Amino acid sequence: MSSKSSKDKPETESATGMRRGLTSYGDTGFSLFLRKAFIKGAGFTDDALGRPVIGIANTGSGYNPCHGNMPQLMEAVKRGVMLAGGLPVEFPTISIHESFAAPTSMYLRNLMSMDTEEMIRAQPMDAVVLIGGCDKTVPAQLMAAASARVPAIQLVTGSMLTGSHRGERVGACTDCRRFWGKYRAEEIDDTEIADVNNQLVASVGTCSVMGTASTMACIAEALGMMVPGAASPPAVTADRIRIAELTGTQAVRMIGQNLTPDRILTPKAFENALRVLLAIGGSTNAIVHLTAIAGRLGIKMDMEAFDRIGKETPVLVDLKPSGQHYMEDFHKAGGLRTLLRELRPLLHLDALTITGRTLGEELDDAGPAFTQDVVRPFNNPIYAQGGIAVLRGNLAPGGAIIKQSAASPVLMEKEGRAVVFDDLQDLASRVDDDDLDITADDFMVLKEIGPVGAPGMPEAGYMPIPRKLARAGVKDMVRISDGRMSGTASGTIVLHVTPESAIGGPLALVKNGDRIRLSVANRELSLLISDAELAERKSKWQAKPAREEDQRGYRKLFLTTVTQADQGCDFDFLQGLGDGGSTPVGKP
Ligand code: FES
């Protein structure tokens, strides 16, 4: 075993491998000498330490069962890296699970992105594999990658398997909400809801429907940030492990080609991702995340243009909550490549991917189409327009969105009386009160669940149907808020009303009994009061006094720097400084 450490001359510019980003001791030779001495304590040879270094972000956590296959993935990625001649080095970052993060996982997304970005910068790596999965983890990692500008490749943990309840196939979390709705309506009893609870999550992995995790997996592949075919294999399959190995191998290959994320994450790539989001009937959360990722590169999300491409991009993927199948069915149907084949005329095929080839070249090599019933042909869609529509009006001057593919058609063109809940506590304390003055024709309005309000813009926009109406068989109502909704939920739910109520947006000014007009066809969300009345109410509006816990730490940073939904809810100081153009750019 040779020992040349003290003679190594570290380079400060364009350094590679263990010579990258040396710790500052004022003596670069000593910095490298010390670094190698320490890592040799773990038994590494000079041969290993002379290889290209591939960092692998490990987001395994006892609090994150969606990442429960992390050990197997890690082993496979390392194998792939070593097969290609690299040195894999894993490192931990924050991990966030939807159900274990309070007040909401979104509150921590930017923290995870900062952690990931800074660990990529701080530690020596020539390329990085980012392993995420649960909803906010992939956006956080892509935001980090966009900012760190080190060649990066995304790997997802993959979806969970479906379970079975009394002969019915079930999976998280569309069925979680469906069964909970039945329980609230007293259609099923305590024993049955406990039985269902055992079956909804049949294995480790991410939610089995087209929720945010599956949506972000598809988007990461459409952006060109994953190896082809990587979005759909379920967590516990051999395909998922093979994808992990391929990911490790590809990470090494990216180094020589200098495939940094800014070369891949272009306005055209974002448009491809937006087309996919629309065609999969994907999660509304993805709009916020894509806006934030693009924002890191100075690329602006043009919501009017997004709405325009929505009108020409049909929903083709028949997955819950917009359709009937689950992610494992999508995988058996060929996964994202089957969809991309159908969308081909709408895609920017010249967009570069992490393979160094274009999306079009990858699609050419994807193999022939075959008969399946999960991805519809372009001319026979599930829903003629894209899943998400952008609304505007005096109630949402900065925009709002609705997942029209998962809404009730009869409720999408409607005027209604506002029944206002001032915040989440108010909703919780009154929604099941039998004396609540509400009918199925009313519009439920919830304030204070925006980025600043809750804080963190929780997925509370899916308000429960008041118990007395649920008991009477009401399944859907118009619900309006400045919050978000889980990608696994459905209903006529208007979300992301911007600007939010906590900073004095028009939503803050809505009173019980006001009339509101929702017209998805006209893309309208209007509070039916005069401009003078609106101005009068605005002049009297006062922000809630700051709470003690708002005055320090991460919460203070969050509250003082978080942007609104139309800017991705990123921290203002993390956004890119340059002008990277805007997206979507329009048909190829
Ligand atoms: Fe992790 Fe749904 S809770 S993906």
Side-chain angles (χ1 to χ4, degrees):
M1 203 179 294
S2 67
S3 179
K4 305 178 289 184
S5 307
S6 58
K7 291 179 190 145
D8 284 342
K9 288 276 189 298
E11 305 154 51
T12 50
E13 296 294 324
S14 62
T16 59
M18 285 293 157
R19 296 159 183 261
R20 284 176 76 106
L22 289 170
T23 312
S24 304
Y25 292 114
D27 176 343
T28 53
F30 179 68
S31 295
L32 181 61
F33 169 74
L34 205 61
R35 174 174 286 174
K36 290 180 79 170
F38 274 108
I39 201 164
K40 282 181 176 175
F44 286 92
T45 61
D46 279 310
D47 179 22
L49 297 176
R51 306 287 174 128
V53 178
I54 307 299
I56 311 171
N58 183 340
T59 52
S61 161
Y63 290 104
N64 196 343
C66 295
H67 295 195
N69 58 342
M70 191 63 64
Q72 292 81 13
L73 294 180
M74 191 58 72
E75 182 189 335
V77 174
K78 287 180 177 176
R79 183 169 68 241
V81 169
M82 289 191 281
L83 283 170
L87 174 66
V89 183
E90 76 179 83
F91 64 97
T93 72
I94 293 172
S95 185
I96 313 168
H97 183 277
E98 285 305 290
S99 304
F100 288 92
T104 169
S105 61
M106 186 66 175
Y107 178 66
L108 297 166
R109 183 201 64 178
N110 296 350
L111 184 63
M112 182 174 175
S113 81
M114 290 170 73
D115 175 8
T116 307
E117 176 186 344
E118 294 307 326
M119 287 300 100
I120 294 171
R121 284 187 199 286
Q123 302 170 136
M125 58 190 81
D126 298 297
V128 61
V129 175
L130 301 162
I131 312 181
C134 196
D135 293 13
K136 305 306 174 294
T137 58
V138 171
Q141 291 178 329
L142 290 174
M143 290 159 75
S147 296
R149 310 272 172 120
V150 169
I153 183 166
Q154 184 75 56
L155 175 66
V156 296
T157 54
S159 60
M160 61 183 70
L161 299 181
T162 51
S164 178
H165 170 67
R166 301 184 184 177
E168 183 185 358
R169 194 178 183 203
V170 293
C173 228
T174 305
D175 296 321
C176 312
R177 294 172 205 286
R178 187 164 60 84
F179 276 94
W180 190 250
K182 285 185 175 196
Y183 181 60
R184 279 178 55 78
E186 299 173 8
E187 292 171 21
I188 62 173
D189 61 14
D190 290 350
T191 306
E192 182 162 3
I193 196 72
D195 284 351
V196 175
N197 194 252
N198 285 331
Q199 298 305 321
L200 288 164
V201 180
S203 74
V204 296
T206 53
C207 286
S208 54
V209 298
M210 194 50 83
T212 304
S214 303
T215 301
M216 289 309 303
C218 292
I219 277 176
E221 186 174 337
L223 281 170
M225 289 296 290
M226 297 204 295
V227 296
S232 61
V236 296
T237 58
D239 278 347
R240 174 54 59 200
I241 300 298
R242 265 189 290 277
I243 288 290
E245 183 188 301
L246 281 170
T247 299
T249 301
Q250 186 56 39
V252 180
R253 292 187 183 141
M254 288 171 73
I255 297 170
Q257 302 176 69
N258 198 28
L259 285 168
T260 48
D262 52 304
R263 292 184 58 205
I264 296 162
L265 297 173
T266 60
K268 287 182 177 179
F270 281 107
E271 180 173 324
N272 288 341
L274 289 166
R275 295 270 187 197
V276 164
L277 168 62
L278 291 160
I280 60 179
S283 167
T284 47
N285 287 324
I287 286 287
V288 180
H289 298 321
L290 276 169
T291 303
I293 299 162
R296 294 296 182 96
L297 296 153
I299 300 170
K300 290 199 171 37
M301 187 64 67
D302 179 343
M303 290 302 283
E304 308 302 329
F306 171 66
D307 194 63
R308 275 200 300 279
I309 68 165
K311 289 177 178 162
E312 60 194 32
T313 314
V315 178
L316 299 179
V317 176
D318 189 5
L319 250 65
K320 293 187 176 205
S322 296
Q324 54 171 324
H325 292 289
Y326 294 87
M327 274 304 278
E328 57 197 86
D329 308 317
F330 183 48
H331 181 56
K332 287 174 185 163
L336 194 71
R337 286 176 291 186
T338 302
L339 175 67
L340 294 177
R341 236 185 248 115
E342 293 298 324
L343 291 181
R344 194 174 177 122
L346 298 178
L347 298 173
H348 293 284
L349 298 171
D350 57 341
L352 187 65
T353 77
I354 49 87
T355 62
R357 296 169 10 120
T358 65
L359 185 68
E361 288 171 327
E362 292 299 346
L363 264 181
D364 289 342
D365 283 358
F370 54 89
T371 306
Q372 46 79 37
D373 65 351
V374 179
V375 181
R376 297 271 192 93
F378 195 87
N379 56 9
N380 179 28
I382 307 282
Y383 196 86
Q385 294 194 354
I388 300 170
V390 180
L391 308 172
R392 294 219 188 253
N394 66 350
L395 189 47
I401 58 170
I402 184 168
K403 188 172 183 177
Q404 53 181 338
S405 60
S408 304
V410 292
L411 297 179
M412 288 199 284
E413 307 297 322
K414 188 172 168 61
E415 272 185 35
R417 181 184 67 137
V419 175
V420 177
F421 299 93
D422 288 331
D423 54 29
L424 282 168
Q425 282 97 336
D426 186 33
L427 176 74
S429 66
R430 293 195 296 127
V431 72
D432 288 339
D433 187 340
D434 281 345
D435 293 331
L436 181 67
D437 177 15
I438 193 165
T439 73
D441 281 330
D442 292 331
F443 287 12
M444 297 173 74
V445 174
L446 176 57
K447 302 178 181 180
E448 297 281 330
I449 61 165
V452 172
M457 207 180 177
E459 292 183 342
Y462 177 79
M463 287 168 248
I465 301 292
R467 198 187 294 271
K468 68 177 183 182
L469 297 181
R471 271 197 226 111
V474 176
K475 299 278 188 249
D476 193 12
M477 291 174 66
V478 175
R479 287 159 273 182
I480 301 170
S481 74
D482 44 13
R484 295 177 301 115
M485 170 175 90
S486 165
T488 63
S490 60
T492 311
I493 300 176
V494 177
L495 302 156
H496 308 184
V497 171
T498 304
E500 65 171 304
S501 54
I503 61 168
L507 189 69
L509 312 176
V510 181
K511 292 183 177 175
N512 256 325
D514 283 346
R515 305 287 299 174
I516 294 175
R517 183 188 304 130
L518 169 65
S519 171
V520 178
N522 294 332
R523 302 295 197 253
E524 180 188 359
L525 182 69
S526 299
L527 180 61
L528 302 179
I529 62 173
S530 68
D531 291 349
E533 170 70 13
L534 197 60
E536 166 76 10
R537 291 186 191 181
K538 175 73 181 171
S539 69
K540 292 184 180 149
W541 178 84
Q542 287 187 325
K544 286 189 175 171
R547 294 153 289 195
E548 192 181 333
E549 64 266 29
D550 297 344
Q551 310 294 324
R552 64 164 299 281
Y554 178 69
R555 190 171 174 114
K556 181 171 182 178
L557 178 75
F558 186 97
L559 291 173
T560 52
T561 63
V562 72
T563 57
Q564 293 290 287
D566 60 348
Q567 291 187 60
C569 301
D570 201 0
F571 294 155
D572 54 12
F573 62 90
L574 293 174
Q575 293 173 318
L577 298 176
D579 178 7
S582 72
T583 192
V585 294
K587 262 187 192 169

